[in-house]
Amino acid sequence: MIKIAVPNKGSLSEAALSILAEAGYKGRGTTKTLNIIDAANGVEFFFLRPKDIAIYVASGVLDLGITGRDLAADSRAKVDEVLDLGFGTSTFRYATTAGAGWTEEDLAGKRIATSYPNLVRDDLAARGIKAEVIRLDGAVEISIRLGVADAIADVVSTGTTLRQQGLEPFGETIVSSAAVVVKRAGVAVSPEEEVVLRRIQGILHARNYLMIDYNIAKANLPAAQAITPGLTGPTVSPLAREDWVAVRAMVPVKQANQLMDQLSSIGAEAILASQLRIARI
């Protein structure tokens, strides 16, 4: 039976559980449940702190784990990413008082507050910068105002929290993070684990693509195919209407409206977009 770690709370947990449910796996039940056995699918799920997941997976006691790329890096656990889940995206950056005009070199000799001390220490070491790293488990943004730190290093999504505290990020992004599936470093994915990954990918593909159907004159088919090439080529079927064909192709969700505009401009008719539930590509 495969053992898989899932975040026990927070936005990563909610998104992961939603995907797993759509992929046909047993739900958690209550938020206090620490593990469940999905005998029908040969999987046991363990609900753990996101920061600890990579450590458990690296030790070999769990086969796969869903966590954040930044959390895995900060744990220094020896794991490999086997699937990018595409949600929970953020950047991990340095920040200080707005208008200070700092660069990474200005961190030398300063105090840096963060909830990701190892990630910061590794970045500073790579840059040859010596600074004091102060570990805080929360409310990192207020540490400068309270005089605890000169700068912070934290996850930045929209930057709203930083602005509220009069801070701004500076320097290069330390880590571009997202939710990922990790496995013990150097260990090959088993056939049973591959089934899990394919199921998850099927849900991700369904969320990221739409199916577009439309009718087009044969004379305009080459132009239409250039607009909607599909993944391996569109499906083209004859219509009762002479010199016309029906076309079906998968397109990225984010581009669907623009593509429909382009199809309409070359004479396509009856353009329909349909959501997908599950897709294996």
Side-chain angles (χ1 to χ4, degrees):
M1 181 169 287
I2 303 171
K3 296 180 179 180
I4 301 176
V6 181
N8 62 347
K9 60 182 179 180
S11 58
L12 286 182
S13 176
E14 294 170 5
L17 289 172
S18 174
I19 289 174
L20 290 170
E22 289 185 54
Y25 293 103
K26 188 176 180 180
R28 184 178 184 181
T30 70
T31 56
K32 293 185 178 180
T33 301
L34 298 179
N35 71 296
I36 58 168
I37 295 176
D38 186 344
N41 289 299
V43 178
E44 183 172 7
F45 293 102
F46 293 83
F47 302 97
L48 308 171
R49 289 202 327 159
K51 282 191 172 185
D52 297 335
I53 286 176
I55 297 172
Y56 282 106
V57 173
S59 72
V61 297
L62 298 177
D63 301 297
L64 299 172
I66 297 175
T67 187
R69 181 178 293 123
D70 52 354
L71 296 170
D74 188 64
S75 74
R76 290 178 174 167
K78 296 186 181 301
V79 294
D80 293 329
E81 290 184 20
V82 292
L83 182 61
D84 186 333
L85 297 175
F87 63 84
T89 55
S90 63
T91 58
F92 188 75
R93 301 187 65 185
Y94 294 112
T96 192
T97 305
W102 279 29
T103 66
E104 289 92 342
E105 286 70 26
D106 293 305
L107 293 168
K110 300 298 194 301
R111 300 165 300 167
I112 307 169
T114 184
S115 298
Y116 299 75
N118 290 330
L119 196 54
V120 175
R121 291 189 183 105
D122 291 344
D123 183 71
L124 292 173
R127 298 177 187 276
I129 297 173
K130 292 184 178 180
E132 180 184 358
V133 178
I134 301 169
R135 176 174 180 169
L136 298 176
D137 287 330
V140 173
E141 296 86 357
I142 199 67
S143 62
I144 296 177
R145 180 173 294 183
L146 293 176
V148 173
D150 305 299
I152 67 170
D154 203 13
V155 174
V156 178
S157 296
T158 63
T160 300
T161 304
L162 289 180
R163 290 190 294 271
Q164 289 175 343
Q165 296 301 322
L167 307 178
E168 66 180 6
F170 65 90
E172 299 177 357
T173 296
I174 303 171
V175 172
S176 294
S177 188
V180 294
V181 180
V182 297
K183 182 169 177 60
R184 188 178 184 184
V187 178
V189 175
S190 70
E192 294 79 12
E193 292 163 356
E194 187 63 39
V195 169
V196 176
L197 296 176
R198 283 202 304 268
R199 282 200 189 186
I200 293 174
Q201 284 178 314
I203 301 305
L204 296 178
H205 288 318
R207 290 183 174 186
N208 293 329
Y209 288 89
L210 289 173
M211 187 68 74
I212 280 190
D213 292 270
Y214 58 90
N215 300 334
I216 191 84
K218 285 184 179 179
N220 295 330
L221 181 58
Q225 288 177 313
I227 296 171
T228 57
L231 300 181
T232 55
T235 299
V236 180
S237 306
L239 285 175
R241 185 177 179 181
E242 187 176 357
D243 294 327
W244 277 66
V245 292
V247 181
R248 165 170 281 197
M250 287 179 64
V251 302
V253 170
K254 293 181 179 179
Q255 300 175 21
N257 282 295
Q258 292 88 340
L259 294 177
M260 293 176 80
D261 292 338
Q262 294 175 39
L263 290 171
S264 181
S265 70
I266 63 170
E269 298 178 358
I271 308 170
L272 305 175
S274 305
Q275 288 186 327
L276 304 174
R277 291 300 305 274
I278 304 174
R280 299 292 175 93
I281 298 173

